Amino acid sequence: MGRRHHFHIDHDGHSVSATVQTGHTAVVEVLVDGKETGHATTHDDHPVTVHVELPTDPPIQVSVRATPGPGVPRCIFEAPAIEPHIMSPRPY
């Protein structure tokens, strides 16, 4: 049975959250400012990248690279012109 792991980062005035549900098929959901803007599935511990847009003028393409395992899942936030950032885990 899988578990849900939550991650968060603030970027350019916007909230980006990711939920990784582990299991044989891992599910990754990405929310921007509280709205689901992308999701993906992957098998076992294979990494997956979810591409989303920040609602700026013009919109900015960003991505969340999720690694469901092995061990504790982790998420990396990637945006143009900055180094990738590790998203902070959330306890809820």
Side-chain angles (χ1 to χ4, degrees):
M1 190 82 179
R3 290 187 53 211
R4 292 174 67 90
H5 302 267
H6 305 278
F7 302 88
H8 181 81
I9 194 167
D10 289 315
H11 178 73
D12 219 10
H14 296 280
S15 169
V16 179
S17 300
T19 300
V20 178
Q21 183 169 332
T22 59
H24 179 67
T25 299
V27 178
V28 180
E29 299 172 338
V30 178
L31 285 74
V32 175
D33 296 335
K35 297 178 185 172
E36 185 177 336
T37 56
H39 74 279
T41 59
T42 186
H43 293 285
D44 301 317
D45 292 335
H46 298 269
V48 64
T49 301
V50 181
H51 300 278
V52 297
E53 285 186 346
L54 295 182
T56 56
D57 189 20
I60 298 172
Q61 291 281 335
V62 299
S63 60
V64 173
R65 187 175 63 226
T67 305
V72 177
R74 55 207 167 278
C75 289
I76 306 289
F77 176 80
E78 299 172 322
I82 66 165
E83 292 291 320
H85 289 281
I86 297 171
M87 296 177 71
S88 299
R90 297 292 182 196
Y92 50 87

